Amino acid sequence: MQKGLMMVKDEMGPQAVILETRNVKVGGFFGLFAKKMVEIVAASDYPEDVEDKIYKENTQDNIVQPPIPLFKYHTPVFKSKKLQNLYEVLVKNELDEAFSANLVGEIERELSGDLLDDDNALMEKLTEKLEGLFLFSGPIDIDKPNKVIFFVGPTGVGKTTTIAKIAAFFTLNMKKKVVLVSIDTFRIAAVEQLRTYAEILGVPFNVVFTPLELERIVKAYNDADLILVDTAGRSPKNELRMSELKGFVTKIFPKEVYLVLSIGTRYTDLKEAVERFIPLNIDKFIFTKLDESSLFLGNMFKLMKEYHLPISYITFGQNVPDDIDVATMNNILERCMYDEYRWGPGSEIKANSN
């Protein structure tokens, strides 16, 4: 039965439905020595009128159930325990079951022998497969002078701390001239927090109240390598505040707009936030608080698949200037899967901190 179901998946795809299964005997001589086999009737496209007829065949003695999707009917079984564990972890990270089964199935077909139980070989192959599906932009590019970057997003996602981490990196590591600007006039604590970071780093800090003031600040620091603009956390449902924010963002050109999201948020809420901020012409994602959730790979994948926006950075703690990495597939898997997958202590897989 298991082999037959896998043949159905290979032949007709993961969306196939099982219509009927029964044991049959094939061959033999006058009923002797016949081989016991399994006959599976499946369909890849199930017409609605046929489905209606099946539902109507509902008697007390003979209840015919509706067709069952293949992967609800049968959990795929792979050749090694580590492959099986990998599939389960992918599904736990809220990746689609059929997608996860196909992904692990590809890895199973491309590796062989001892490599199917080799941690490094499996993760290298998984990283290779996922890299082709995820979008990454790399770090902020400061080749162009007077680079203005807006950080926008819902309340409480960690925008101010993220800005401080990026400012510290470019100031201390890259020796670049960075200017910090806040238009978060709704939260005094956020303004003072960014002001404190600016004093520690020894970089200019300005608070602006109108789009015209922001335009003047940008012109005044035309020799800066990077101008990072902290915005007030807006509820995506507050249309008035969103309109005010759009007035600031559209006043400056050229610029980039980074949407900062807490990845532990429910996908429906993440999607709603993206829909509300999209009118600001979002360029890239920054995902924060990876340390507070271990089930975020599926959220990232679904957002990128739907909106075709790359990830620039990921953050995973409050420490400044630490707890931030340039987003790469390896860095993301380091945060969401290594512990869950129980990589051996001899594994050489490491996150590349930037």
Side-chain angles (χ1 to χ4, degrees):
M1 177 67 72
Q2 175 183 315
K3 183 178 179 181
L5 291 170
M6 295 305 293
M7 291 172 64
V8 171
K9 185 195 77 169
D10 292 338
E11 180 72 21
M12 306 179 72
Q15 302 305 320
V17 293
I18 305 302
L19 303 180
E20 181 186 357
T21 63
R22 66 189 182 99
N23 295 317
V24 298
K25 291 185 177 181
V26 178
F29 183 72
F30 292 108
L32 300 176
F33 310 111
K35 290 183 179 180
K36 293 182 179 180
M37 304 189 74
V38 175
E39 181 180 86
I40 301 174
V41 181
S44 59
D45 186 13
Y46 205 83
E48 291 184 5
D49 58 337
V50 175
E51 186 174 353
D52 292 338
K53 292 177 182 178
I54 288 181
Y55 275 107
K56 291 177 182 177
E57 294 183 29
N58 187 355
T59 65
Q60 188 172 5
D61 297 328
N62 181 28
I63 299 176
V64 180
Q65 297 293 335
I68 304 171
L70 181 58
F71 285 109
K72 295 296 183 184
Y73 184 89
H74 172 70
T75 300
V77 178
F78 299 97
K79 293 180 181 178
S80 75
K81 183 177 180 180
K82 286 188 179 292
L83 280 172
Q84 198 69 36
N85 193 20
L86 177 58
Y87 165 77
E88 292 170 1
V89 173
L90 289 172
V91 172
K92 187 177 180 181
N93 268 270
E94 301 184 359
L95 286 170
D96 179 75
E97 290 181 6
F99 171 83
S100 300
N102 286 334
L103 183 63
V104 177
E106 288 180 11
I107 294 173
E108 183 180 61
R109 288 190 291 273
E110 295 179 17
L111 296 178
S112 60
D114 294 340
L115 292 179
L116 293 176
D117 285 307
D118 186 283
D119 290 337
N120 289 303
L122 288 175
M123 184 51 71
E124 182 178 346
K125 184 61 71 172
L126 175 66
T127 304
E128 173 190 317
K129 292 291 182 183
L130 289 176
E131 274 180 338
L133 302 174
F134 277 70
L135 302 174
F136 301 104
S137 67
I140 293 171
D141 182 3
I142 56 173
D143 287 342
K144 297 179 181 179
N146 202 19
K147 184 76 136 184
V148 181
I149 297 182
F150 288 85
F151 295 81
V152 303
T155 57
V157 297
K159 289 188 298 298
T160 303
T161 304
T162 300
I163 291 171
K165 294 173 182 179
I166 293 173
F169 174 78
F170 281 101
T171 301
L172 303 177
N173 295 49
M174 304 296 291
K175 309 301 180 186
K176 299 298 181 180
K177 183 174 181 179
V178 177
V179 177
L180 298 181
V181 177
S182 177
I183 58 176
D184 188 353
T185 58
F186 298 96
R187 295 186 307 142
I188 296 176
V191 173
E192 293 306 314
Q193 182 185 16
L194 196 59
R195 188 193 304 276
T196 300
Y197 285 130
E199 290 175 355
I200 294 172
L201 295 173
V203 302
F205 173 72
N206 295 269
V207 181
V208 299
F209 296 88
T210 67
L212 184 58
E213 283 184 274
L214 178 60
E215 188 177 31
R216 289 171 179 168
I217 289 294
V218 171
K219 289 180 179 179
Y221 290 101
N222 58 8
D223 61 335
D225 296 299
L226 203 56
I227 299 177
L228 306 178
V229 183
D230 190 15
T231 66
R234 258 67 172 182
S235 168
K237 298 180 181 180
N238 191 324
E239 295 185 4
L240 176 60
R241 298 301 186 199
M242 291 297 296
S243 178
E244 291 175 352
L245 178 57
K246 187 174 183 179
F248 281 98
V249 173
T250 56
K251 190 69 174 178
I252 304 301
F253 187 83
K255 84 281 185 169
E256 284 188 327
V257 182
Y258 285 49
L259 177 56
V260 185
L261 297 171
S262 174
I263 198 57
T265 310
R266 293 185 310 166
Y267 180 71
T268 53
D269 294 330
L270 288 172
K271 179 177 169 60
E272 182 179 3
V274 177
E275 289 291 339
R276 294 287 184 169
F277 284 97
I278 277 290
L280 301 179
N281 294 321
I282 303 302
D283 295 293
K284 299 167 186 176
F285 285 128
I286 294 178
F287 290 120
T288 63
K289 303 187 179 184
L290 272 68
D291 57 314
E292 298 181 12
S293 174
S294 60
L295 306 177
F296 49 75
L297 189 63
N299 282 349
M300 287 186 182
F301 180 68
K302 285 182 280 190
L303 284 177
M304 281 184 295
K305 184 177 180 181
E306 185 158 357
Y307 296 101
H308 306 287
L309 292 174
I311 310 174
S312 183
Y313 292 94
I314 56 174
T315 76
F316 36 86
Q318 297 295 313
N319 296 320
V320 178
D322 303 318
D323 297 343
I324 186 170
D325 269 335
V326 173
T328 65
M329 199 67 253
N330 191 61
N331 284 346
I332 290 174
L333 293 178
E334 165 80 13
R335 300 294 164 187
C336 72
M337 287 191 61
Y338 285 8
D339 290 340
E340 192 77 27
Y341 191 73
R342 302 183 187 282
W343 300 106
S347 173
E348 298 177 358
I349 305 281
K350 301 288 184 182
N352 297 317
S353 298
N354 291 283

